[in-house]
Amino acid sequence: MEQFTKILTSNFTSNALITAFVVVGIVCWVAAWLSTHVFRGKIHSSAIAIAAGLLLAWLGGELTGGKKGLSDITLFSGIALMGGGMFRDFAIIATAFGVKLDELKKAGLAGALALVVSTVLSFYLGAMVAWAFGYTDAVSMATIGGGAVTFIVGPVTGAALGASSDVIALSIAAGVIKSIAIMIVTPLVAKPAGLNSPAAAIVYGGLMGSTSGVAAGLAATDPKLVPYGAMTATFYTGLGCLLAPSALYLSLSPFF
């Protein structure tokens, strides 16, 4: 039995990325079961899976004293690659392939306005919250404001402006909380908000911005709407990465 365990562990370790996919698949399956049978569809499985992932990351850090969460455990080292920027960006871009251009054109001006207004508003709201909690320099405010845009924009902004690691961590946390909130709230507000067409999903994606949050929330509402919301949410992330460390930061620097 001990020999069998060693062989099994060795195979899992030497095929770390495959092991990572298996682990994430199991977590997602359990989350889907909980969403369906325990929460009766009121909380989307993606929100449960993200919460479980954060818990496992904390547990991995506690057990190993490392800084990469569960991937610091040798058996789960492939999660560091699977959770890296390459697969993240691939997943975000892949959502756009289900879009029909005719539907995209219908929301043209409204979608564009939603993108710009929401990006700027989210940034300044995040920056003001940061200021209220004592982060009064422009770099920290811009970084946390970027996190309020999305959890990708925050660290991009922080890295560009030279923010400290704790501020960058806060920006990521702000974006993750926003993402989970969107996942949970979207199915609840979809009907009264008229979120029932591709055009509405395009505008909604531009307003909310979090690709993961919008995709999961729309999946719980109507899976056919996911590519449309994710399309503008992806643009939202790109717009935030462009504006937050440049024009939006410069708008703060004369005053803070």
Side-chain angles (χ1 to χ4, degrees), residues 26 57 59 66 69 80 88-89 91 97 99 127 133 147 156 159 176 179 195 208 214 217 238 241 253:
I26 291 172
L59 183 62
R88 177 202 66 207
D89 294 342
F97 281 88
V99 170
F133 279 89
V156 168
V176 170
S179 180
L195 190 54
M208 296 295 104
V214 168
C241 288
S253 56

Side-chain angles (χ1 to χ4, degrees), residues 130-159:
W131 177 81
F133 279 89
Y135 291 92
T136 56
D137 62 287
V139 171
S140 296
M141 290 174 66
T143 300
I144 295 174
V149 178
T150 75
F151 58 77
I152 297 174
V153 175
V156 168
T157 303

Side-chain angles (χ1 to χ4, degrees), residues 76-159:
F76 305 115
S77 59
I79 290 176
L81 176 59
M82 185 183 179
M86 178 179 66
F87 278 102
R88 177 202 66 207
D89 294 342
F90 174 78
I92 290 172
I93 298 303
T95 59
F97 281 88
V99 170
K100 294 180 181 178
L101 291 179
D102 289 339
E103 296 291 349
L104 190 61
K105 293 175 182 176
K106 291 179 183 178
L109 181 59
L113 286 175
L115 277 172
V116 175
V117 171
S118 184
T119 300
V120 173
L121 183 62
S122 295
F123 176 87
Y124 284 122
L125 284 175
M128 290 303 102
V129 170
W131 177 81
F133 279 89
Y135 291 92
T136 56
D137 62 287
V139 171
S140 296
M141 290 174 66
T143 300
I144 295 174
V149 178
T150 75
F151 58 77
I152 297 174
V153 175
V156 168
T157 303

Side-chain angles (χ1 to χ4, degrees), residues 3-254:
Q3 186 67 21
F4 174 75
T5 303
K6 287 182 178 179
I7 293 172
L8 197 61
T9 303
S10 176
N11 283 330
F12 283 149
T13 304
S14 60
N15 297 283
L17 184 57
I18 296 175
T19 303
F21 274 100
V22 171
V23 171
V24 171
I26 291 172
V27 171
C28 290
W29 178 82
V30 172
W33 187 90
L34 290 173
S35 176
T36 302
H37 298 286
V38 178
F39 297 104
R40 304 298 178 186
K42 298 296 182 182
I43 299 179
H44 193 269
S45 60
S46 295
I48 300 172
I50 287 179
L54 293 172
L55 180 62
L56 289 172
W58 170 81
L59 183 62
E62 285 292 307
L63 292 175
T64 64
K67 297 181 179 180
K68 295 183 179 180
L70 196 62
S71 64
D72 280 319
I73 300 174
T74 305
L75 184 62
F76 305 115
S77 59
I79 290 176
L81 176 59
M82 185 183 179
M86 178 179 66
F87 278 102
R88 177 202 66 207
D89 294 342
F90 174 78
I92 290 172
I93 298 303
T95 59
F97 281 88
V99 170
K100 294 180 181 178
L101 291 179
D102 289 339
E103 296 291 349
L104 190 61
K105 293 175 182 176
K106 291 179 183 178
L109 181 59
L113 286 175
L115 277 172
V116 175
V117 171
S118 184
T119 300
V120 173
L121 183 62
S122 295
F123 176 87
Y124 284 122
L125 284 175
M128 290 303 102
V129 170
W131 177 81
F133 279 89
Y135 291 92
T136 56
D137 62 287
V139 171
S140 296
M141 290 174 66
T143 300
I144 295 174
V149 178
T150 75
F151 58 77
I152 297 174
V153 175
V156 168
T157 303
L161 299 178
S164 61
S165 58
D166 60 327
V167 170
I168 292 176
L170 283 173
S171 75
I172 296 172
V176 170
I177 291 170
K178 176 183 177 181
S179 180
I180 294 175
I182 293 170
M183 292 178 192
I184 295 172
V185 171
T186 299
L188 303 179
V189 302
K191 189 173 182 180
L195 190 54
N196 54 13
S197 68
I202 289 169
V203 175
Y204 185 76
L207 286 173
M208 296 295 104
S210 171
T211 306
S212 54
V214 168
L218 290 177
T221 304
D222 182 352
K224 294 180 181 177
L225 300 179
V226 172
Y228 300 98
M231 166 66 84
T232 42
T234 302
F235 286 134
Y236 183 102
T237 297
L239 185 64
C241 288
L242 178 66
L243 292 180
S246 56
L248 294 176
Y249 163 71
L250 291 174
S251 71
L252 293 176
S253 56

